[in-house]
Structures are given as C-alpha cells and as structure tokens.
Amino acid sequence: MGTNWRRWALPAALLALALPTATGCKSTPDALPKPTTATATAVARVCAKPAAGPATAPAGAVTVDPAVTGDLAAKTRSSPPNTTFWLRPGKHRLDRDRYAQVVPKKGDVYLGAPGAVLDGRRTNQYAFSGTAPDVTIRYLTVQGFAAPQNEGVVNHDSADGWVIEHSTIQNNSGAGLMAGARQQVRASCLRANGQYGMNAYKGNGRISGLVLEGNEITGNNTDDWERRQSGCGCTGGVKFWAVDGADVRGNWVHDNRGTGLWADTNNNDFLIEDNVLEANDGAALIYETSYNAIVRGNTIRRNNWVEGRKYADRGDTFPFATVYLSESGGEPRVRARTNKIDIYRNVLEDNWSGITLWENADRFCNSPANTSSGDCTLLVNNTKRCAQPAIATAPLYADCRWKTQRVDIHDNRFVLDKSVVGCTVKCDRMAVLANYGTYPEWSPYQGERVAEAITGTQHNRWHDNVYVGPWSFVVHDPSRILDSAQWQAAPYRQDAGSTFRTQDGG
C-alpha cells in the first residue's frame, strides 16, 4: 500500500480553514466548452443539518427503548429477517462487554427517531457487524465506539448490499464505516473518526457497485496513524481497496488529516464527479496502482498545504501534488466505463501544486520494492511468473508493472495565487515523471526506461486547459523543470490548445 517515492507522513495538527462557498464546473455528457467560467457547486453540509428521522414508529416496526441497555441487540436477535426497528429518541447503549454488538439479519432496517444515538461509550468495539446482506440504517447517529486499527464500526464485516442514509457516524476509533459490494452511502456525515471515515475493504473478495453520494466527510484520522506508524499508508477521509466500480458523487470532503480520497491497489472503474474537495492536509485525491477512472466536475481547493509545505521545508524536490496518480492508468483489457483516466472540467484553486503523474520503476509484481502487500496487477494471475527470464519479454514485461498511461487531462481550470497559499517555491508544479530504476538487481526496468515511457510513449496528455498563476512543469525526473513554453514545445508538446495567464490570482 502507499506511495514508494516518499511516504506521506502526516502532521500532528489538523489545518482548520474558513472557506467560501465552492465554485466549479458542472459536468454534462454533451460537448465540453472551454472552462473559462465557473458555476456554483452545491456543498453537502449534512453534518451541521442532519435530516430528522420519523417521530413515530412506522407501522409494524419494533420499538427500541434507550432506557434498556442492550435492547437493540436483544430485539435484533429475537426478531426474524426483514424486520424494521425504530429507535426512540435518546442515547442507546449496548452491554458493557467490548464485543457486544448488533448482528442484523438479512433485510433488517434500523430507523432512528429525532435524537436517536447509538453510543459505544468508548467500550464497545463494533456497532453493526455480521455477514447479513441488504441491511439499511437511516437517521441514526453512531458514536463513541473503539474499533481496532483497520477495522470498522458500522458494517464491520463488509457485508454486501447495505444502505446507510441520513446517518451520522462520528468520534469512533478505527474506521467509522466499512463497505461491501453494492453498498450505498448517501447524505450521511462521516466525521472525526480515528482512522478513516470509511474503509472500503473486503478481506475475502473485491467490492463492486459502490455508491458514495452527497455525504460530508470531515476531520477524520484524529488518531494520526501516519505519525504513529510512519509510512503505513493507512489513513484518509475514505480509503478504497480493490473496488471494481464506484460512483463517488456530490460529496464534501474537507479538513481531513491527510488525504481526502485515496484509492489504493487494483481499484477500477471509478466515477469521481461533482465533489468539493478542500482543506485536506494532504492530497485531495490519490489514485494508486489502479485502473480506469473518470474525474470530472470537481471543485478542488486549498488542499495539501500542510504536507506539501512540510516536504518543501525539508528540501524534498518531489512534486507532491493535490491530485496524485501513482502507477495508475487506463487499461483497455480491464473492463470499465472508460479505458483511460479522464480528468476534465475540474477547477483546482490555490492548492499546493496541481496534478502529478508518477511511476516507480522499482515497484512491480514480485519486486521487494512493491509495497502493495504482495499484490500483482490485474493482468497477471500468478505473481511468481514475474521473474527472470520471462519478465524481460512480452507480455510480462508490460503486464507485471502498474503503468501510469492513457491519462487525459483536459478542459480544466488551474488557479494559483502564491500569496493565498503562503509559498514562494515548490507549490506551483504539474508533473509527469519516474525515478531511475535500480532495484532489484534482476529488474528489467533499470535505468531511465520507465521515465522515458511515462514521459513520451504511454499516452499521457494535457490539453485545452486554462492556467492562471505562475505554473511550472516537471518532466521525466525532478530535476527537469520547464516553463509553459518549454512544456508546449518539442519534445514534450503538452497542453496544446491551453491558455496561460502567469500573474497570481484568479
């Protein structure tokens, strides 16, 4: 997991910013106009104004009494599948045993009345667990649970088909929420959880058909796991692992300690649109060792101020960016709604740097430098095949490494005012680069092979964008820094049809 140029170690303090209403470009399926103006993007302010649940029990529902400790778990055990439970107003508690939890049956529905809270008292580890599919949770606040690292409080076992709507999951340890296939999370508040707002991870298979829409995801990673375990790559507002098909739409992802949205290891077929991603300490979006995505119509502003500045102050020359594609690209052989990574009609404003396309020449299947826990690409079933002599020839030479390829960056607006960001250098970069391959000794990717490929032959392209501010461009390796004229000229010929206004501000 995680990047392998530098690990994105996180600071101890959460950057709190008072920001204006978002502006951005709205996406439509028709022809794309030049992004010269921005239209208002709605912000999902669901944490401040959560929707109220039913004030009376629906017909046929089982009423749960907050005055009776363990009532919710007990009534779930004694009721048949497909039961609706209505939680009265008040603070509901489980038994004091740390393993006390609610284990739903197939099709169960949990509805919170106005003011209904399920509180773990920092004693219980899990709120809702088990493998029953098609469970629904609405209008309920779940807080104060003490899940261990990498585990979650709601849908602990990543069961399939769950629906979480109009709910608040806050102030828990670990992940507030896990995810299974066909899970839908809508209009909910994922706030101030110790590790993740949501950890989309399923230990026994891939997740498909995930929907994350209209949520507010804020202030997560309060336990600062990257500081506690340097280089773990185990934090974020939301982390996605091996998700095949996800719609991430209309969310407000802000003020998280670390990355806002992080897709890590063999994700595919993502649609990330109409989100507001702002004031996250690290990158707004990391798409890592993954495939095929559409990123459009997002407003991305004031991200990466903490982490970007920290590395710049250390003298690090790597272009740590707000949108970071690491060993990720389009792959026509992996089925998806697109066969590239298409980034368009977004507004990036006053972030610490812009978009970096990166590939680690030493990170491939069967390499000791592969930090993805022994995983291989989706093109090779048997990792052991990625060894000499076969890896040096087709098809394994191409298929044994994740490639940053077929990335199309167009019709975006990039605005940078250094006086707003509070920087003088290293906050103004777009980049496409790789390292010099050195490891292991049997690697067929040594030298500049990967750097030459990502820069010149893997069909990565910027075009028809608008730049406002003093942008620079890093190509091949961190030492090659170009101005816009050099970026557009041979041999790179990037940003055809783009416009540049070099003064600061928008």
Side-chain angles (χ1 to χ4, degrees):
M1 73 182 76
T3 63
N4 202 39
W5 175 270
R6 297 286 192 271
R7 302 306 259 143
W8 291 54
L10 302 180
L14 179 67
L15 179 65
L17 296 172
L19 297 175
T21 305
T23 57
C25 297
K26 299 292 287 184
S27 75
T28 56
D30 51 358
L32 301 175
K34 292 282 186 179
T36 55
T37 60
T39 56
T41 300
V43 175
R45 300 181 183 276
V46 294
C47 291
K49 298 180 179 179
T56 58
V62 173
T63 297
V64 182
D65 187 352
V68 179
T69 299
D71 197 39
L72 179 60
K75 286 179 175 174
T76 297
R77 285 193 299 269
S78 63
S79 299
N82 301 301
T83 296
T84 295
F85 301 90
W86 178 70
L87 286 73
R88 289 184 182 274
K91 192 170 287 187
H92 297 253
R93 297 177 175 87
L94 303 174
D95 292 335
R96 284 199 172 272
D97 187 302
R98 65 174 176 167
Y99 296 116
Q101 57 200 273
V102 181
V103 184
K105 297 182 175 72
K106 179 180 179 180
D108 282 350
V109 176
Y110 297 87
L111 302 176
V117 176
L118 180 60
D119 194 306
R121 295 177 288 182
R122 309 307 304 177
T123 298
N124 308 115
Q125 292 189 347
Y126 317 119
F128 294 92
S129 63
T131 59
D134 306 327
V135 172
T136 297
I137 300 171
R138 292 192 177 104
Y139 307 110
L140 183 61
T141 294
V142 180
Q143 65 184 32
F145 286 80
Q149 182 190 11
N150 297 325
E151 298 188 41
V153 169
V154 175
N155 196 10
H156 170 265
D157 298 293
S158 302
D160 296 337
W162 284 40
V163 175
I164 295 92
E165 293 180 328
H166 304 294
S167 293
T168 297
I169 304 173
Q170 65 182 8
N171 301 321
N172 303 286
S173 298
L177 176 63
M178 301 297 285
R182 306 183 313 282
Q183 180 160 297
Q184 301 175 43
V185 185
R186 290 191 168 94
S188 292
C189 171
L190 309 181
R191 175 171 59 189
N193 295 289
Q195 189 176 4
Y196 305 106
M198 184 173 79
N199 185 16
Y201 173 79
K202 191 176 179 71
N204 59 351
R206 292 173 66 78
I207 295 171
S208 61
L210 180 64
V211 175
L212 191 65
E213 183 172 17
N215 305 284
E216 184 174 352
I217 303 163
T218 181
N220 295 288
N221 187 29
T222 59
D223 291 334
D224 201 359
W225 276 101
E226 290 282 353
R227 179 185 57 81
R228 296 168 66 176
Q229 294 184 2
S230 179
C232 71
C234 60
T235 58
V238 180
K239 193 79 182 276
F240 304 89
W241 312 83
V243 175
D244 188 11
D247 288 358
V248 182
R249 180 186 300 112
N251 303 284
W252 186 21
V253 184
H254 66 99
D255 293 285
N256 293 284
R257 175 177 281 167
T259 303
L261 303 174
W262 189 344
D264 187 351
T265 311
N266 286 338
N267 297 277
N268 175 52
D269 194 18
F270 272 51
L271 173 61
I272 302 171
E273 67 174 353
D274 296 336
N275 302 283
V276 177
L277 311 176
E278 65 181 341
N280 298 289
D281 282 5
L285 171 65
I286 298 178
Y287 206 69
E288 181 177 1
T289 55
S290 294
Y291 302 88
N292 301 325
I294 297 169
V295 182
R296 67 187 181 194
N298 301 285
T299 296
I300 303 173
R301 61 191 180 192
R302 306 194 185 199
N303 296 280
N304 202 28
W305 285 16
V306 172
E307 295 189 9
R309 180 174 286 106
K310 179 178 64 177
Y311 285 105
D313 289 346
R314 291 177 179 177
D316 198 314
T317 61
F318 187 80
F320 292 100
T322 287
V323 175
Y324 182 36
L325 273 60
S326 176
E327 296 91 22
S328 292
E331 176 50 73
R333 290 174 291 173
V334 178
R335 186 174 180 179
R337 71 196 90 185
T338 181
N339 59 17
K340 58 185 178 179
I341 293 184
D342 201 1
I343 302 175
Y344 66 97
R345 296 185 67 175
N346 304 283
V347 173
L348 281 78
E349 181 176 359
D350 293 330
N351 301 284
W352 191 283
S353 289
I355 299 175
T356 286
L357 311 187
W358 159 253
E359 197 167 323
N360 183 347
D362 299 330
R363 186 180 188 184
F364 55 91
C365 303
N366 217 24
S367 167
N370 178 17
T371 58
S372 295
S373 304
D375 288 293
C376 196
T377 70
L378 294 180
L379 304 175
V380 178
N381 292 326
N382 184 355
T383 303
K384 293 181 180 179
R385 294 174 58 207
C386 296
Q388 290 286 10
I391 193 173
T393 59
L396 293 180
Y397 180 82
D399 292 351
C400 286
R401 76 180 163 94
W402 293 272
K403 291 188 287 186
T404 303
Q405 64 177 6
R406 300 174 60 83
V407 181
D408 195 3
I409 302 168
H410 61 99
D411 294 280
N412 302 285
R413 182 177 178 86
F414 302 113
V415 178
L416 175 63
D417 186 335
K418 289 185 176 181
S419 69
V420 173
V421 180
C423 72
T424 57
V425 295
K426 298 181 182 177
C427 65
D428 56 357
R429 295 177 289 180
M430 296 279 172
V432 52
L433 76 166
N435 60 324
Y436 189 90
T438 61
Y439 182 78
E441 57 86 22
W442 52 268
S443 168
Y445 311 116
Q446 294 189 15
E448 297 185 353
R449 292 178 177 88
V450 174
E452 295 292 344
I454 190 175
T455 304
T457 64
Q458 290 181 181
H459 308 288
N460 296 313
R461 185 174 175 234
W462 280 255
H463 62 96
D464 298 296
N465 298 295
V466 171
Y467 292 85
V468 180
W471 290 94
S472 61
F473 303 88
V474 181
V475 299
H476 189 275
D477 64 76
S479 69
R480 299 190 191 182
I481 303 175
L482 314 178
D483 61 26
S484 60
Q486 294 168 317
W487 175 245
Q488 290 186 297
Y492 305 111
R493 300 190 185 279
Q494 291 289 0
D495 264 316
S498 296
T499 60
F500 297 82
R501 195 170 84 225
T502 57
Q503 70 268 29
D504 280 6

